[in-house]
Amino acid sequence: SQQGEEDPQALSIQEGENATMNCSYKTSINNLQWYRQNSGRGLVHLILIRSNEREKHSGRLRVTLDTSKKSSSLLITASRAADTASYFCATDVLYNQGGKLIFGQGTELSVKP
Amino acid sequence: ETGVTQTPRHLVMGMTNKKSLKCEQHLGHNAMYWYKQSAKKPLELMFVYSLEERVENNSVPSRFSPECPNSSHLFLHLHTLQPEDSALYLCASSQTQGFIYEQYFGPGTRLTVT
């Protein structure tokens, strides 16, 4: 089963509007990360929030984390056409020799000029 | 994508061919990953190498064979693939010490199996 699931699956907004994407997960985490992917390219790390943090900002990005609800949200303010991309949340699983991230299905964001 | 390179960027191969994908990271990380990304499906983790040892193999068919000769290089050897193996194959690296730091991805290899 998916550890991280994003909502909505697709979002279309006008330039200048805010975009909010949500992520839910199932198990305890150490941190939650958000990534961005432009069509057919590799993922780019946007922001990491640790399990003891509730909110984090980076430029036009604001991430919140609610560990009691096992959910996170990514807010992009004053969106631009260049923000058009897929956005993924990822949660970590640790084990003796290493660790891995489990990615959600992603939200496709389209920002129209 | 900075710091992680993948070659080739595009690959077309027949089902009877043998080819290899290469990944190189210049970031001094201790873990490397192979992911498969198919259309309309979430990112699938295939293999994890930590300190050059394979620590994860997510029930990947044996026609995919990973190799990690050192902490900077990762290969994915392909043989007798099926058309459903056509996908974007992404390599990533990260530092893992107590918790997982952000992963840095390469640009991917777009694989088409004919």
Side-chain angles (χ1 to χ4, degrees):
Chain A
S1 60
Q2 287 293 112
Q3 167 73 330
E5 295 186 11
E6 284 93 342
D7 166 57
Q9 289 190 3
L11 180 61
S12 182
I13 58 175
Q14 294 294 130
E15 218 168 19
E17 293 180 339
N18 295 341
T20 300
M21 288 158 268
N22 302 295
C23 169
S24 60
Y25 58 92
K26 293 183 172 63
T27 62
S28 296
I29 61 172
N30 291 300
N31 65 66
L32 185 143
Q33 303 180 30
W34 284 91
Y35 288 79
R36 164 198 168 120
Q37 183 182 32
N38 288 84
S39 181
R41 306 298 300 272
L43 280 70
V44 175
H45 179 262
L46 293 176
I47 197 165
L48 180 154
I49 185 166
R50 303 202 178 157
S51 59
N52 62 354
E53 296 176 310
R54 292 296 166 258
E55 188 170 311
K56 202 160 184 181
H57 297 254
S58 176
R60 293 184 295 113
L61 306 180
R62 173 179 169 252
V63 169
T64 62
L65 179 64
D66 186 336
T67 52
S68 66
K69 294 181 180 177
K70 292 188 168 59
S71 67
S72 174
S73 67
L74 171 67
L75 168 67
I76 304 175
T77 60
S79 63
R80 305 166 182 167
D83 294 327
T84 294
S86 293
Y87 292 83
F88 298 87
C89 69
T91 53
D92 61 341
V93 174
L94 289 175
Y95 39 82
N96 286 340
Q97 292 173 285
K100 62 182 179 183
L101 292 179
I102 306 296
F103 286 82
Q105 291 184 306
T107 293
E108 273 190 47
L109 174 66
S110 173
V111 182
K112 300 188 188 313
Chain B
E1 297 177 18
T2 303
V4 181
T5 57
Q6 288 186 245
T7 54
R9 294 293 307 276
H10 299 272
L11 178 61
V12 179
M13 58 186 288
M15 290 191 283
T16 58
N17 292 158
K18 289 185 181 181
K19 296 285 184 183
S20 296
L21 310 184
K22 179 183 176 182
C23 175
E24 185 172 358
Q25 60 100 357
H26 313 273
L27 301 167
H29 289 160
N30 63 2
M32 296 186 77
Y33 311 78
W34 278 118
Y35 290 90
K36 175 185 179 182
Q37 188 177 36
S38 305
K40 308 294 184 187
K41 292 177 73 174
L43 216 58
E44 298 174 50
L45 179 64
M46 299 175 73
F47 302 104
V48 180
Y49 276 83
S50 179
L51 299 173
E52 301 160 42
E53 280 191 41
R54 191 193 310 180
V55 296
E56 183 85 15
N57 178 348
N58 272 356
S59 303
V60 179
S62 59
R63 57 185 183 269
F64 295 92
S65 174
E67 179 189 1
C68 187
N70 55 61
S71 60
S72 299
H73 293 86
L74 186 65
F75 294 88
L76 188 62
H77 304 297
L78 316 171
H79 64 97
T80 59
L81 295 191
Q82 304 298 312
E84 60 265 28
D85 297 322
S86 298
L88 182 67
Y89 288 84
L90 293 164
C91 171
S93 71
S94 74
Q95 195 65 16
T96 302
Q97 286 176 315
F99 66 90
I100 300 170
Y101 292 82
E102 59 266 29
Q103 290 189 1
Y104 289 78
F105 282 79
T109 295
R110 173 67 63 186
L111 173 67
T112 303
V113 181
T114 60

